[in-house]
Amino acid sequence: MAASAPADERTMISERIAPGMLPRVLNSFDMTIIFVAIVLFIVNASAIQQAHQAAYTYWILGFIAFLIPGALVTAQLGQMFPQEGSLYVWTQKALGPFWGFFAGFCAWWPGILVMVATGDAVVTLWQFVDTGGLPKAWEQGLVILAVLWFSAFMSMLRLRMTQSYANWAVVFYGAAIFVIGLAGILWLIGAGHSATGGWGTASNWNIHSGQWTWFGFVILALLGIEVPLNMGVEIVNMRSIKRYLFWGSLVVMFAYLWATLGTMLALPAAKSVGATTDILSAVQVGFFGSHGFAVVVALVLIWFFVSNTIVYNYSFSRLLFVSGLEQRMPAKLGTVNERTKVPVYAIVTQTVLSSLFVVAIFNPWVSGNNNQKAYWLFQAAVTVIWCISMVLLFADIFLVKRAFPAKFDEVRAAHPYVLYACGVIGMLASAFGAYVTFRSPWTSLFSVGHWRLWLAILCGISVAAAILIYAISEFMHRREAPTPTPTAA
C-alpha cells in the first residue's frame, strides 16, 4: 500500500512548519524522563500480584514480545523521520494521509482517558494517606479536575521550565520505587521467609489459558514507547533517540520486576485483590510497621502522578498540534503561544475533553459501583485502541523500507532482519493484547457478555470518530480547493 501512495501525499505540512515554530530544548536525560513517566505506572506492580509468581513470566514475556521490539522499531522510525507527531508522521509516510491520521488519532485518544486514570491514582493514594478521605464520587471528581487543570497550566509554560519540574518529580519517584523493593528484602531478612510461598513450585510460574488477560494488562503497562517522539523537532540532538530508548527500557524493566518482588515478598499474593495501594502496604510491613514512612512514600507517588499528568498533557498535545497543522482538525490547534512557544489551544482542548469524562463518571448521580465500572472500561478501551495504533507502528517498519529504501539503510538502528522480526512479533503481541482484553473482564463487576459489549461500543465509537473527522476534513479540503480556470489555447 505504501508504494501506491503518491509521493506528495506522504509529504506533510508539519514537516516544513513545525521546526520553525518549536524550540529545541530536550536532551537525552529529558527524553528518558518522559519515557519513564509515560510507561512506568508502578501501581501496576500491585495489580499483578494476583498472578503470583507467574507475574514474572508475564513481565518477561511482555519485555521480549513488546517492549524491546517496540524500542528497536521506534529507534529506526524515529531516526528516519525525527518530526513532530511520531506515529502520525511515520504511518503517513508509509501508507498515506488517511492511515497517518487514523494512527495518530488512535495514539492520541488514549491520552485523554489516561489523564483521567492518573488523576484517579492520585485519589486512591490520598485515601491511603487519609483513611476514609474523599468518600464521595463528586469529591474525587473535584480532585481529578484539579489535577487535570494544574497539568494544563504547567503544560502551557515554556517546555524547558516544565520539563525541569518533571525531571525532579521522576527522580524522587525512582527513589520511592527503590524503597518498595527494599521493603520486601527487609521483610525477608527480618522474618526469615517470604510472605508469598511457592517460589520453588514450577507450576506457580506457568501461564494458564484462563490467565491470558494478564498479558493484556502487561501490554497496557508497557504502552507509550513512541510518545517522547511526539516532540521530535524539540530534541536538541538526534542521538538522544537511541539513548532514551535504551536507558528508559532498562529502567522500566528493572523497576517493574523490583517493585513486584518487593510487594510479593512482604505481602502474601494469595490474599491480594489487586488493590492499587498494595505497594504502600508492602512498604509499611517491610519497614517495621511504620505507617508514617509508608505515608511519605505515598506522598512522593502522589507528586509523581500529578507531574505525570503534566507529561501526558504536553506530550499528547503535540499529536493534536500536528493534526491542526495538517488541517485535519481546526487550524487553531496547530498554533503556538508567541511567548511560551507551546500549543496552548491543543493543551486546553484535550484537558476539556478529559474533564468531560471526569464529570460524566464522578458526579453525585452515579453510584460508586458504576464509577468503578466506567473506570475499568475506559482503561480497557485505552489498551485496545492504543494496541491498534501499535499494530500500525510495527507494520510501518516494513512499509517505510519499501517506500524509502535508501533512508532505511542509512539509519540502521539494527540489522534489517532483526527489525523485521521485531515488526512481526510486535504486531502479534499488540493484536493479542487487544484480543485478550476483549476476551475476559478485568474486574468482577462485569459479566463476560456485558464487558465485551460495552468495550466494543467504546472502541467502535472511537474508531468511527476518527473516520468521521477525517471525512469532514477531506470534504473541507475539496471545497476550499481552487477551481481550475480554462485558458486560451
Side-chain angles (χ1 to χ4, degrees), residues 207-229:
I207 293 175
H208 304 289
S209 59
Q211 294 183 331
W212 275 113
T213 301
W214 288 116
F215 183 75
F217 178 83
V218 165
I219 295 297
L220 171 65
L222 299 174
L223 286 166
I225 302 163
E226 81 293 352
V227 171
L229 289 174

Side-chain angles (χ1 to χ4, degrees), residues 49-50 52 195-196 267-275 278:
Q49 294 295 316
Q50 296 174 92
H52 297 208
T196 299
L267 302 176
K271 296 182 179 179
S272 174
V273 293
D278 276 2

